Amino acid sequence: MGSMEGGGAATTTDLRSPLLPTSPVEERVGIDEMLRRYAGEFGRWQLRHFVLASAAWALEAFHTMVMIFADREPGREAAAASADPCRPDWPVGAAASTVAEWGLVCGQRYKVGLAQSIFFLGCMIGSGVFGHLSDSFMGRKGSLTIVCVLNAIFGLLTSLSPTYWVYVALRFLTGFSTGGVGLCAFVLATEPVGPTKRGAAGMSTFYFFSVGIAILAGIAYLFPSWRALYVVTSLPSLFFVLAVLPFVSESPRWYLVRRRIADAMAVMQTIAEKNGKTIPPGVVIKLDDEDEGDDGRDEKEAAADVKKVDAHGVEKAVVSGSIVDVLRSPTTRLRLFLTVLINFLCSVVYYGLSLNVVNLDTNIYLSVVLNSVAEMPAYILTALLLDLFGRKPMAVSTMWISGAFCAFGSLVSGAGAMKIVRMVCGVIGIFGMAATYNLLFIYTAELFPTVVRNAALGCATQAAQMGAILAPLVVVLGGKVPFAVFGACGIIGGWLVFLLPETMNRPLYDTMAGLEEGERRGHK
């Protein structure tokens, strides 16, 4: 071994054996650094890849919001003269919706909300399952492929449902697969984006969901039968798998954590090439927590790195965290409780207002389009003002705007011209809550240190899905009640945000100890 080292010292770098620790590696950098310095943070490759991957959000909108049209109560005004209001003669035919076909009115009306809540229950379970699978052996692209295929299959089977309970079971299965669509599409679209562009790119994914809702309204207008609607909204998922996903790349970050270094480098080389840039031959990729020269160490040396020395010379073990640590600390325990409750209330209002168009007695297609269009400026507003006014003022104001207009809508009569006023209240309400929904993800992430950030975000996400489960059950109450509930949720949510600290321009802490120390210094 000594002679080999001596020979290595006497020869040029190009003649050294690649098997030695002193292989011709000039520089080892993380993905963010490679994107920033060599490949490009958001060039032509990322733009194309981002659009293709994010298109899956429109598919999620199809499978989620199709219930607005499939489960509606169609045109009862022409059947008002029926002797039995609980057995109306539907003027548009029983095939128009599940309500008309299976008589889900009067004492059976709760079944409409139940079917929709069961769908969101499937989403909650599926997001956890496919979130894990996308991190493990299946990968982001593989998981997205599976959920889209399942969505198409379950959606097509739903169109053949012979009974209400078969319909409910298939909606649960569709929700299970739909729960993984947005999650997989989000990470697939944003992970190859550079660090300074990732925030704006992440917030832009919501536009695809809103556009999907608007397109869905047009499809529902052209296909009034609920069975035909499920067929037409399920086929695009197959088209996406066959015609779009082949042009989408697996995440280089997933390749890297799976130790598939050559595949990760191949993706990075493609990014650089398409962006008109070049990665120098001596630059190779590494995990962010690896030190320079780690590639030549043996296992004992690597194991020794589980101990680190702090600024005072004290040796400490590498820190990790879990939800238990969040609950153990008074600082993060209160933050977790508040963010869980705020996300829950926000979700009740957002999904509730989206589904409540069936109670407005206005043109349902126009109402859905207006709601989806209202969301788009809300996302722009969040992106432009978040770093100007701060997270806390933005969250309070948007929740209160939504809550105030929903509360006003509960006081407005649903007859005559006033039903238009109530529709406008709903549009402004969803504008405010869509803005809140957009910023809550960023705000929640900044409230917790790195070691427990994913655990805290997971709790907040689960709370939001619980809100989505409750929302349909509020909508089926009908009349002024849904607007009153949504108004209360928005106003209470805004007050709860007051109890959270501002995070703008504050450090993004890595450890629980660092957060608590920073809070102590900040309060002095």
Side-chain angles (χ1 to χ4, degrees), residues 68-69 213-214 217 353-375 419-420 422-424 426-427 430:
I68 296 174
F69 302 100
I213 296 175
L353 285 172
S354 297
L355 299 175
N356 195 55
V357 294
V358 299
N359 291 328
L360 296 179
D361 196 23
T362 56
N363 186 300
I364 190 173
Y365 307 102
L366 177 61
S367 296
V368 171
V369 170
L370 289 177
N371 280 355
S372 64
V373 170
E375 295 181 22
K419 65 185 180 183
I420 303 299
R422 185 183 285 186
M423 182 183 74
V424 172
V427 170
I430 206 166

Side-chain angles (χ1 to χ4, degrees), residues 356-522:
N356 195 55
V357 294
V358 299
N359 291 328
L360 296 179
D361 196 23
T362 56
N363 186 300
I364 190 173
Y365 307 102
L366 177 61
S367 296
V368 171
V369 170
L370 289 177
N371 280 355
S372 64
V373 170
E375 295 181 22
M376 298 179 190
Y379 301 145
I380 297 174
L381 183 75
T382 306
L384 293 178
L385 302 183
L386 194 60
D387 289 330
L388 183 62
F389 293 106
R391 283 66 167 145
K392 185 172 176 177
M394 284 292 294
V396 171
S397 58
T398 52
M399 289 199 88
W400 277 359
I401 287 172
S402 179
F405 276 91
C406 288
F408 181 72
S410 70
L411 303 176
V412 174
S413 168
M418 297 308 292
K419 65 185 180 183
I420 303 299
V421 175
R422 185 183 285 186
M423 182 183 74
V424 172
C425 288
V427 170
I428 298 175
I430 206 166
F431 165 85
M433 206 51 68
T436 307
Y437 221 123
N438 199 17
L439 69 88
L440 272 181
F441 188 86
I442 297 170
Y443 196 9
T444 303
E446 292 177 344
L447 285 168
F448 298 91
T450 301
V451 291
V452 295
R453 186 168 295 126
N454 277 353
L457 280 171
C459 288
T461 301
Q462 295 293 90
Q465 289 164 340
M466 288 296 294
I469 292 171
L470 179 63
L473 302 179
V474 175
V475 171
V476 297
L477 297 175
K480 298 180 179 181
V481 175
F483 268 108
V485 172
F486 303 149
C489 288
I491 293 169
I492 293 170
W495 279 114
L496 291 174
V497 175
F498 263 117
L499 302 176
L500 289 171
E502 177 57 73
T503 59
M504 185 176 72
N505 298 326
R506 296 294 303 275
L508 201 61
Y509 295 102
D510 289 322
T511 65
M512 296 290 291
L515 172 67
E516 291 170 356
E517 176 63 26
E519 287 298 304
R520 282 195 294 271
R521 288 199 305 267

Side-chain angles (χ1 to χ4, degrees), residues 59 148 152 234-246:
L59 304 177
C148 286
S234 299
L235 290 176
S237 292
L238 283 181
F239 175 82
F240 181 80
V241 170
L242 297 175
V244 177
L245 270 180

Side-chain angles (χ1 to χ4, degrees), residues 120-427:
F120 286 117
L121 176 63
C123 287
M124 184 174 70
I125 298 171
S127 64
V129 171
F130 288 105
H132 171 72
L133 290 176
S134 69
D135 281 339
S136 58
F137 70 95
M138 194 172 287
R140 283 82 162 102
K141 183 177 177 179
S143 296
L144 186 57
T145 302
I146 295 297
V147 294
C148 286
V149 170
L150 291 177
N151 264 350
I153 293 172
F154 294 144
L156 292 172
L157 290 175
T158 302
S159 70
L160 303 175
S161 300
T163 66
Y164 166 81
W165 291 110
V166 172
Y167 174 76
V168 169
L170 287 167
R171 284 301 285 163
F172 171 80
L173 293 174
T174 306
F176 176 77
S177 51
T178 300
V181 174
L183 176 69
C184 297
F186 181 85
V187 294
L188 197 56
T190 57
E191 283 191 336
V193 177
T196 65
K197 309 294 183 183
R198 197 175 301 129
M203 288 190 289
S204 298
T205 58
F206 292 98
Y207 289 109
F208 292 85
F209 188 83
S210 299
V211 170
I213 296 175
I215 294 173
L216 173 65
I219 295 173
Y221 180 79
L222 295 174
F223 296 90
S225 165
W226 74 268
R227 294 184 185 274
L229 183 59
Y230 272 108
V231 172
V232 176
T233 54
S234 299
L235 290 176
S237 292
L238 283 181
F239 175 82
F240 181 80
V241 170
L242 297 175
V244 177
L245 270 180
F247 301 98
V248 173
S249 171
E250 178 57 88
S251 169
R253 296 178 189 275
W254 179 79
Y255 280 139
L256 186 59
V257 298
R258 301 295 292 181
R259 302 295 178 179
R260 295 170 60 175
I261 309 299
D263 291 326
M265 276 302 299
V267 175
M268 298 302 293
Q269 292 284 4
T270 302
I271 294 174
E273 179 184 345
K274 297 299 182 183
N275 288 346
K277 297 178 178 292
T278 304
I279 299 175
V283 176
V284 294
I285 208 166
K286 73 177 182 71
L287 286 169
D288 288 338
D289 60 354
E290 291 177 4
D291 296 325
E292 290 291 338
D294 281 356
D295 55 327
R297 303 176 309 166
D298 59 25
E299 291 184 4
K300 291 182 179 180
E301 291 172 328
D305 264 358
V306 300
K307 297 285 186 179
K308 299 291 183 183
V309 178
D310 68 8
H312 304 289
V314 179
E315 193 179 63
K316 294 185 176 181
V318 172
V319 293
S320 61
S322 68
I323 200 64
V324 175
D325 299 300
V326 177
L327 295 172
R328 190 176 291 139
S329 167
T331 302
T332 52
R333 181 168 60 238
L334 177 60
R335 292 183 182 187
L336 181 67
F337 174 77
L338 291 171
T339 52
V340 162
L341 194 51
I342 292 165
N343 275 273
F344 173 81
L345 294 172
C346 177
S347 186
V348 170
V349 180
Y350 176 78
Y351 284 103
L353 285 172
S354 297
L355 299 175
N356 195 55
V357 294
V358 299
N359 291 328
L360 296 179
D361 196 23
T362 56
N363 186 300
I364 190 173
Y365 307 102
L366 177 61
S367 296
V368 171
V369 170
L370 289 177
N371 280 355
S372 64
V373 170
E375 295 181 22
M376 298 179 190
Y379 301 145
I380 297 174
L381 183 75
T382 306
L384 293 178
L385 302 183
L386 194 60
D387 289 330
L388 183 62
F389 293 106
R391 283 66 167 145
K392 185 172 176 177
M394 284 292 294
V396 171
S397 58
T398 52
M399 289 199 88
W400 277 359
I401 287 172
S402 179
F405 276 91
C406 288
F408 181 72
S410 70
L411 303 176
V412 174
S413 168
M418 297 308 292
K419 65 185 180 183
I420 303 299
V421 175
R422 185 183 285 186
M423 182 183 74
V424 172
C425 288
V427 170

